Amino acid sequence: PLSGRAYVYGAMRVTGAADPLVPGRETIPGERPPRTRRAPRGGLAEIVFLSGVPAPHVVDAATSFVKRRHSPQEAGFVNACLRSICAELDNKDHFFDDAPEHIRLRLPEILWSRWQEHYGKDMATAIAEAMLQQADTFLRLREYPPQQPPKELKGIVSVEPPEWDPKAKIYKLDRKAHVSIAEVFSSNTKFYIQDPATLLAPSFLAPRPGEIVADLCAAPGG
C-alpha cells in the first residue's frame, strides 16, 4: 500500500489526467460543489494510475470519507463516479486515446506548450514519458565513519557509481524483492537515501582540504 506522502504526491501528479475522467459519469443529477468534484481525484489516481490498494477498497474509503466529511448526497456522487471507472478498468489503457497530448503525458497544458517551444516536440515527449516512470530508490553507504556493506542484504543491489563520484558505494532498492526501506535500515548498516544525481553539486564545488563549507541542506538520510 502507498504511504500517505506517496498517495498525495501521486494524486497531484495525475490530477490533470484524472479530472477529464469525471465528466459524463455523473449519474446523479444536479450541480456539485468544487469540493465534491475534487474528492474523486485521489481515488481515481490510485485506481487508474497507482498501485497498492484494490479498487473496491479505494471506492469504499473515498465514499465513506465524503459521507462523513460532507454529506450522503455528495458521497453518492463520488461512489457512482468511481464505480463507473472501476467497471472500465480492463480498458484503462485506452482511457486517453482521444485526449490531448498534454493529458496523455500528465502535464499542465502551459508546461507542455513551453517544453515544445524550448526543446521541440520529440524531446519534450521523451522527457514527459521518462517522468511517467517510477523512480528507483537509491542508497549510499556512509563513508564517515567507514561502513562495510553486509555480505548478504536482501532487497538491495549494488550499482555502478556515477562518473562524477567513482568512489561512492551506491545501491538501489530491488523492486522485485518487495522489501521496504524500513527493512533495509533494520540491518544496522548506515545508509543514506540519496540519488546519485545529488552528488553532482559537491563535484562542481570541488572543495579542498582546509576550506570551510556550509551545507545548508545537510541531513542524515538526504
Side-chain angles (χ1 to χ4, degrees):
L2 295 170
S3 68
R5 182 176 64 178
Y7 180 86
V8 172
Y9 284 0
M12 291 174 64
R13 288 190 183 105
V14 302
T15 289
D19 283 358
L21 295 177
V22 177
R25 303 175 189 277
E26 303 174 18
T27 58
I28 301 175
E31 288 296 321
R32 307 290 162 201
R35 70 185 186 190
T36 308
R37 294 185 177 278
R38 288 194 297 267
R41 285 179 183 169
L44 284 173
E46 191 158 13
I47 291 170
V48 179
F49 303 106
L50 308 174
S51 60
V53 181
H57 295 182
V58 177
V59 176
D60 182 67
T63 303
S64 298
F65 170 80
V66 175
K67 184 177 182 180
R68 182 176 66 254
R69 189 72 176 266
H70 302 316
S71 72
Q73 291 76 18
E74 293 174 66
F77 162 77
V78 172
N79 182 64
C81 174
L82 294 181
R83 286 187 180 277
S84 175
I85 294 290
C86 289
E88 301 176 27
L89 282 181
D90 290 341
N91 196 41
K92 71 176 183 178
D93 291 339
H94 302 284
F95 277 162
F96 304 103
D97 283 353
D98 299 324
E101 284 185 290
H102 71 277
I103 289 179
R104 182 178 64 81
L105 295 170
R106 324 284 195 266
L107 291 175
E109 186 172 7
I110 188 171
L111 181 60
W112 173 235
S113 297
R114 288 177 177 175
W115 279 11
Q116 287 186 92
E117 182 180 347
H118 187 76
Y119 297 110
K121 184 175 181 180
D122 290 344
M123 179 60 73
T125 300
I127 293 172
E129 289 178 342
M131 290 176 62
L132 290 175
Q133 307 305 312
Q134 181 180 352
D136 284 313
T137 299
F138 288 94
L139 305 113
R140 179 185 175 196
L141 194 66
R142 182 180 297 184
E143 298 178 33
Y144 301 102
Q147 302 288 325
Q148 292 297 322
K151 294 180 180 180
E152 293 184 9
L153 186 56
K154 295 180 180 179
I156 67 170
V157 293
S158 177
V159 299
E160 288 294 321
E163 61 183 49
W164 50 87
D165 195 344
K167 295 182 180 180
K169 295 181 176 66
I170 307 294
Y171 300 79
K172 71 176 180 179
L173 207 62
D174 184 359
R175 296 179 187 174
K176 297 179 181 180
H178 301 291
V179 175
S180 69
I181 286 291
E183 291 176 272
V184 172
F185 280 103
S186 68
S187 68
N188 293 321
T189 300
K190 303 302 183 182
F191 286 106
Y192 288 100
I193 299 176
Q194 185 175 27
D195 191 283
T198 62
L199 299 174
L200 269 171
S203 71
F204 287 146
L205 183 63
R208 298 180 179 181
E211 292 183 338
I212 297 175
V213 178
D215 185 348
L216 304 184
C217 295

